[in-house]
Amino acid sequence: MPAAELLCRCRCPSGGNSRRVFRNGESGSSESRAGEIAFREWHDRWWNARIVEPHTLRGDASSIKNHVMPYWADWEMRAITRMDVQSWIRSLVEKGAGPAAIKRAYNLTSSIMRAAVDDDVIAVSPCRSIDLPPIAVKPPQWFTPDQAQSILDGLAPAWRTMCLLGFYTGLRWGELSGLHRHRIDTRRSRLFVVEVNTKSGIKEYPKSSKSRREVPLPPHVLAALERHIYRLDRDAVVFTTITKGRSGRLLADSNWRRQIWWPAVEAAYHFGDDGELQLVPHYPPHSMRHTCASWLVQRGGLALRGPAPSRPRELPDHPTLRPPSAGRPQGRPRSMGKHGSTTHHRLMNAPLPCPARTGQRCLAAEQPEKPVYQPRACRPGPLRAGRGGCPDRRDRTGPAACLSGRHGQHQVPGL
């Protein structure tokens, strides 16, 4: 039986025509021959061409080693189908891998396949329309002012200042531990988020382009920060190790949690709504960021875009903060400029809301029953009762400076 023949005619890039005869069993596609490469070999080529952060590289290497290569290493690239990928996901679920680990392994595999498509190794990626196990959304974790104050009371002065800054600015831990002295503008009560501390050292840019921002500082936070930085050099990192013989080194996240944060949280108590002494919730340091978002919502009546109030991404200047006004599109409030500093300063210096609205213990319960008059020209500040401070004073030098005539009667709560 003669072999079947196929005549193919195509146009060349030069403009001429080309003719070729393909016999039965012969393929003219270089793509099919390239698809014979093993997954392991293509992975090595893809891995050596990647440009990612060292920390991301370490996490990806662990995921590929544990979840990807044991299954796909010896497969030919052209032999992998969409159903094979779905079966692989099912096998990971049956082995007990977590949803987050499965999603990361799948994303890496999908990236490998997309690179193969771009390099004409395969025609189409098998990683499409794949069902992944759902990732459970964690409930919001944030501290009340009483709980935060209890944690601060158990910390050394340097760490108290660091956590106070975290509670009132919403900075990430890497942004706190990577803050430099010259990024703090004491005259304008601002700090600039630029450098970030990572496991690989100081990174010259934050998590994303939107994370590079200007953050306002409440007066009491600025005062604590000034006491901490007055001896530092201009280019020094603000928060470093203080252990004798090892001082001045960059902080390590795991060591700081184990030696500083968790002991303070475990030793902190607060009075609950029923008046009983209770332990402070066992939340990680990142909860300081969620706490800042929660306090902003409570003090200003703001709402967060999204289903849960625990999405503080670029707080306090993240555009997900918006006033709950009907008919307005979701985004930053009108009073919130490019970075939202005006709104943030007003909210962080305002009294806490009534407990009837929040269901929490009110720190302002001891305030005078009559409303406190604050002229619009005054600059409010989070001052503690009994310290002679008054939000109606312009220069804060004495009772004569109080424009309301009731100097010393104001009790604005604040940490």
Side-chain angles (χ1 to χ4, degrees), residues 216-345:
L217 296 172
H220 67 298
V221 178
L222 178 61
L225 198 56
E226 285 180 328
R227 291 193 296 268
H228 178 77
I229 66 176
Y230 78 99
R231 291 183 177 179
L232 297 178
D233 297 333
R234 181 182 182 276
D235 296 328
V237 178
V238 175
F239 301 106
T240 56
T241 56
I242 59 176
T243 305
K244 186 176 181 180
R246 299 172 58 89
S247 61
R249 302 183 182 182
L250 292 177
L251 297 175
D253 185 17
S254 57
N255 292 340
W256 192 86
R257 290 182 182 226
R258 184 178 66 254
Q259 300 174 10
I260 306 299
W261 178 259
W262 293 127
V265 172
E266 293 169 358
Y269 291 84
H270 73 103
F271 288 98
D273 297 335
D274 56 357
E276 296 292 333
L277 199 62
Q278 301 177 1
L279 285 170
V280 169
H282 202 262
Y283 294 155
H286 192 73
S287 295
M288 292 188 291
R289 182 166 167 82
H290 298 308
T291 298
C292 177
S294 177
W295 290 357
L296 284 171
V297 172
Q298 294 180 60
R299 297 182 184 190
L302 293 177
L304 284 173
R305 289 173 58 184
S310 59
R311 295 186 56 196
R313 296 188 178 176
E314 264 62 53
L315 288 174
D317 57 343
H318 193 264
T320 54
L321 285 169
R322 60 177 177 85
S325 56
R328 288 188 57 190
Q330 293 182 349
R332 62 171 62 88
R334 289 195 182 97
S335 61
M336 189 179 283
K338 181 178 180 181
H339 298 287
S341 58
T342 303
T343 302
H344 171 71
H345 187 275

Side-chain angles (χ1 to χ4, degrees), residues 367-374 392 404 406 409-410:
Q367 292 186 3
E369 295 182 359
K370 57 183 178 180
V372 177
Y373 170 76
Q374 294 187 4
D392 286 341
S404 64
R406 288 173 284 102
Q409 298 182 14
H410 303 282

